[in-house]
Amino acid sequence: MMSTIAIREPFPEQLPGLHFAAAAPDLWRVAGTDGSVLGHIRRRDVGGVARFSARRQLPGSLQGFELGEFWSPRDAAEVFR
């Protein structure tokens, strides 16, 4: 039996004031400079085109809410600044 290893890639952009950590394949945790988790960005394919959705994490909670879906990783990350 052959196993498949899912690769966690680094976030494709760097933005001042934000830190990105691979949380799962196609999922990144977004944190502020103080280390507090701000939310997550997920990449998914829509008709062969990559889309990036941003989800804000509520402080002190595991719950969050959708911020939107974007054509580029930079646009998705900008909503956290």
Side-chain angles (χ1 to χ4, degrees):
M1 182 174 179
M2 191 163 51
S3 66
T4 303
I5 298 174
I7 298 173
R8 295 181 185 184
E9 299 174 11
F11 192 68
E13 296 283 340
Q14 295 297 318
L15 280 84
L18 296 176
H19 298 282
F20 304 94
D26 296 325
L27 179 69
W28 297 272
R29 183 177 304 109
V30 183
T33 54
D34 63 355
S36 61
V37 175
L38 302 174
H40 294 85
I41 296 175
R42 179 178 301 277
R43 175 178 51 207
R44 64 186 184 97
D45 273 350
V46 177
V49 177
R51 296 287 301 216
F52 298 84
S53 60
R55 183 171 180 82
R56 172 72 74 172
Q57 180 97 21
L58 296 175
S61 173
L62 295 177
Q63 296 183 4
F65 56 93
E66 293 294 325
L67 295 172
E69 192 167 281
F70 305 89
W71 289 107
S72 76
R74 177 175 286 280
D75 289 345
E78 286 288 352
V79 300
F80 292 102
R81 297 210 293 166

